[in-house]
Amino acid sequence: MRFIKWYHVLVFTLLFLIFLIFILPNEAKTSLTYGIELSPDTSIFYTSKTLYRLADENGEAGREFYITQRFTFDLIWPVVYGLFLVSAIGFLTFRINNPKYKHLYALPLVAMFFDYLENITVSITMSRYPTLTPITSFLAGFMTLFKWSTLSLALIALVILLSIYL
């Protein structure tokens, strides 16, 4: 991706670090004030039963906060980590100039896609609780698993590409 310059990577890396250092801890702290100690999106995988248990434990205020957080903060966070990873991977693959690496930049885009699907499926389940949504709640755990899998692959690709580049 020849149009990605070093300063793009720098800006998106700084934005990513600002989120990691300041915004994510603040969001976690706010979640705790609503009694949300465990969040489905920080698990690797969960079942419908686990999701319903969390919905029950969070209470109505916690569920409402969770949904609000998914459609405010969690609309932006995937874009932030996506821009960081796409720019860094894209920059490195262009510099290395090996055709076998040229599509690795797509991994964070796929992770973002599954992150949004996770947010939608969990939010539907939380908003309808205590009414059961069997298909949606079943799919939620898989969206989370796919998100973490593709995000992990993107991070591994970044480390490998950086090693090759250096």
Side-chain angles (χ1 to χ4, degrees):
M1 296 186 28
R2 64 178 161 258
F3 61 88
I4 297 177
K5 307 297 183 204
W6 66 268
Y7 50 86
H8 296 124
V9 178
L10 178 64
V11 168
F12 296 139
T13 300
L14 290 174
L15 182 62
F16 178 72
L17 290 173
I18 288 168
F19 262 73
L20 279 181
I21 295 168
F22 299 107
I23 297 174
L24 282 176
N26 186 54
E27 289 296 318
K29 188 173 150 183
T30 305
S31 293
L32 286 174
T33 63
Y34 282 91
I36 301 173
E37 294 180 25
L38 295 172
S39 179
D41 53 347
T42 58
S43 301
I44 292 176
F45 180 78
Y46 47 86
T47 63
S48 294
K49 183 178 179 181
T50 303
L51 187 56
Y52 289 127
R53 182 180 48 78
L54 290 173
D56 186 55
E57 289 173 0
N58 290 342
E60 187 173 341
R63 289 189 302 273
E64 286 178 20
F65 171 75
Y66 182 88
I67 294 165
T68 301
Q69 197 179 37
R70 293 308 146 249
F71 292 97
T72 53
F73 159 76
D74 220 6
L75 283 177
I76 299 166
W77 172 235
V79 172
V80 170
Y81 74 68
L83 286 171
F84 162 66
L85 289 168
V86 168
S87 67
I89 291 171
F91 178 81
L92 291 170
T93 56
F94 178 71
R95 294 294 184 263
I96 293 169
N97 196 22
N98 187 328
K100 69 180 179 184
Y101 302 128
K102 70 179 181 178
H103 296 295
L104 289 176
Y105 74 90
L107 284 169
L109 297 174
V110 174
M112 291 171 58
F113 174 73
F114 285 120
D115 198 339
Y116 289 126
L117 287 177
E118 169 197 56
N119 293 341
I120 291 166
T121 55
V122 174
S123 293
I124 289 169
T125 301
M126 293 282 185
S127 70
R128 294 184 40 87
Y129 184 83
T131 302
L132 301 180
T133 52
I135 294 172
T136 306
S137 63
F138 172 79
L139 290 174
F142 287 98
M143 297 304 109
T144 302
L145 175 64
F146 298 153
K147 172 192 76 173
W148 284 117
S149 297
T150 53
L151 190 54
S152 296
L153 288 172
L155 291 169
I156 290 168
L158 178 61
V159 169
I160 291 170
L161 290 169
L162 191 57
S163 298
I164 293 169
Y165 180 72
L166 294 175

